[in-house]
Amino acid sequence: LNGSIGRFTVAVLGLFLSVLFSLYLVPLGMYSPCIKEAGTLGPAPALIGHRGAPMLAPENTLMSFEKAVEAGGAGLETDVTISYDGVPFLMHDTTLKRTTNVADVFPNQTHQDASMFTWAELQQLNAGDWFLSRDPFGTVSSMSEMDRAWAQNQSVPSLAQFLQVAARSGRLVLFDLRMPPYGHPYSQTYINTTLQVVKANINSSQVLWLPSADRESVQAMDPDLQQTSGEKASIQELMDGHITRLNLHYSTMSQQQISKYRSVNITTNLYVISQPWLYTLGWCAGAQSVTTNSVHVLSGITKPLFLMTPEDYNLMWILTDAVSAFLIISIFIFHWCVDSLDALSCS
């Protein structure tokens, strides 16, 4: 019986030591873009306000974009659709029911496509009340009375109004353009109509042109636009398409890919990054800009939250392993001594 107990004890101890040794080796195989040689960290990514500053104001409203500018955003991102009578305006959703009071003003048209409303009808809607009542980011309680009143009076902006904010403040603009449904009067000309509004209200070099439809024609009509792609492709394909920037989800890009594109002057914007730790990883990976819900938070970060050289990283883990090994051995010795004293007292 004692022999069986002894073999079991040895087996358990062997398993414990094997697992412990494996854990000691794990840090050697870990990777982080923030483990970098000294002096290789690039500049902080520029901040592009996702639908403005949606934590501080109703998304896709003039107030939201003004707040993003005020917070230090270098660019403004939005979503554009076109009204039934040909006015490009800002709206992310297919319908108006989430971010306006369309259910009150046009109760029988709640589920109608946003682009099927005329501009005059859209101007009758309130685009701020929903933000105060639903409090999507839990930030309404921190707003001043003046800001609450400002938010409550927001309407659906036109693309022209949005571009004027960007032009006045010297900000970049990035927008997605939704194709109107079949049967819409501008279903064939919405790109040209939108492009005309852009050229009339802002310097084209400030515009990151994301829509992929008819890109060659758009490039020919306005070569000053910064052609931006939402899809990865080979360097040759991107250069043939005059792409100067990629707009991609942060999970799809690696430090090596960002570096490869940057080597041919194709910059990378990552979306949507709103947490400081994720912004730190994007910074370390070399992203040139990020789209964010929290311009007001990320603009205050002056250095990565965690950054160390490979030498510092290795030293940290070696010291941690050494201290933990010392503590484990000390515990074993202590228990052995206690067991030995108990055995002597029993005898």
Side-chain angles (χ1 to χ4, degrees):
L1 182 60
N2 289 337
S4 298
I5 293 174
R7 286 193 295 273
F8 176 74
T9 302
V10 170
V12 171
L13 180 61
L15 178 61
F16 171 77
L17 292 176
S18 298
V19 172
L20 183 64
F21 185 70
S22 299
L23 291 175
Y24 282 165
L25 294 179
V26 164
L28 298 178
M30 292 179 66
Y31 166 78
S32 169
C34 288
I35 301 174
K36 304 174 74 70
E37 295 291 348
T40 61
L41 179 68
L47 302 175
I48 298 178
H50 183 231
R51 307 176 200 169
M55 291 185 176
L56 306 178
E59 67 179 58
N60 279 336
T61 61
L62 295 182
M63 176 185 178
S64 188
F65 297 113
E66 294 284 4
K67 285 290 185 181
V69 170
E70 182 183 310
L76 305 172
E77 184 272 349
T78 189
D79 312 275
V80 178
T81 189
I82 192 164
S83 71
Y84 195 77
D85 52 349
V87 178
F89 67 96
L90 310 191
M91 183 58 56
H92 173 267
D93 299 359
T94 303
T95 68
L96 303 167
K97 60 183 180 180
R98 182 176 66 88
T99 58
T100 75
N101 63 337
V102 66
D104 298 327
V105 181
F106 302 107
N108 297 324
Q109 298 172 267
T110 301
H111 298 286
Q112 184 166 280
D113 192 289
S115 63
M116 301 304 284
F117 289 80
T118 67
W119 179 240
E121 290 171 334
L122 291 166
Q123 287 299 280
Q124 297 177 46
L125 303 176
N126 183 290
D129 274 342
W130 73 273
F131 178 80
L132 298 175
S133 60
R134 297 178 197 171
D135 196 8
F137 294 97
T139 53
V140 169
S141 61
S142 63
M143 294 174 66
S144 67
E145 287 301 320
M146 183 179 296
D147 278 351
R148 290 191 191 205
W150 188 9
Q152 196 168 27
N153 289 312
Q154 291 302 294
S155 58
V156 176
S158 67
L159 174 61
Q161 291 171 320
F162 162 72
L163 293 175
Q164 288 160 14
V165 172
R168 186 170 63 248
S169 57
R171 266 45 178 192
L172 296 173
V173 298
L174 170 67
F175 63 85
D176 206 357
L177 178 60
R178 189 164 61 86
M179 179 179 179
Y182 178 78
H184 190 283
Y186 288 82
S187 60
Q188 301 301 314
T189 59
Y190 72 102
I191 292 178
N192 284 348
T193 301
T194 301
L195 189 58
Q196 290 170 10
V197 173
V198 168
K199 294 174 72 172
N201 289 280
I202 195 171
N203 190 315
S204 297
S205 62
Q206 291 176 239
V207 179
L208 311 182
W209 184 267
L210 184 59
S212 59
D214 296 335
R215 192 182 292 279
E216 289 187 11
S217 299
V218 171
Q219 170 68 18
M221 288 186 286
D222 195 343
D224 291 333
L225 294 168
Q226 296 189 46
Q227 293 294 332
T228 303
S229 175
E231 298 179 357
K232 287 190 289 186
S234 69
I235 288 178
Q236 190 59 53
E237 287 175 313
L238 294 174
M239 294 181 71
D240 289 345
H242 305 282
I243 302 299
T244 60
R245 190 179 299 245
L246 290 171
N247 180 58
L248 300 167
H249 191 269
Y250 66 84
S251 65
T252 66
M253 289 296 288
S254 67
Q255 183 175 5
Q256 292 73 21
Q257 290 172 320
I258 291 174
S259 178
K260 179 185 72 173
Y261 290 126
R262 185 173 54 194
S263 68
V264 292
N265 295 320
I266 297 175
T267 58
T268 303
N269 180 69
L270 302 180
Y271 67 86
V272 171
I273 292 179
S274 300
Q275 300 81 13
W277 69 269
L278 196 53
Y279 177 67
T280 284
L281 290 179
W283 185 348
C284 292
Q288 285 75 40
S289 60
V290 301
T291 301
T292 179
N293 289 325
S294 55
V295 172
H296 61 299
V297 174
L298 300 188
S299 60
I301 298 177
T302 57
K303 61 180 180 181
L305 300 183
F306 32 87
L307 177 66
M308 61 182 70
T309 65
E311 294 76 18
D312 289 340
Y313 175 78
N314 290 332
L315 178 61
M316 178 188 73
W317 279 111
I318 289 171
L319 289 175
T320 301
D321 289 350
V323 170
S324 65
F326 172 77
L327 292 174
I328 290 169
I329 292 171
S330 298
I331 291 170
F332 270 103
I333 292 174
F334 173 77
H335 280 285
W336 179 80
C337 291
V338 169
D339 291 343
S340 299
L341 289 174
D342 287 343
L344 287 173
S345 60
C346 289
S347 62

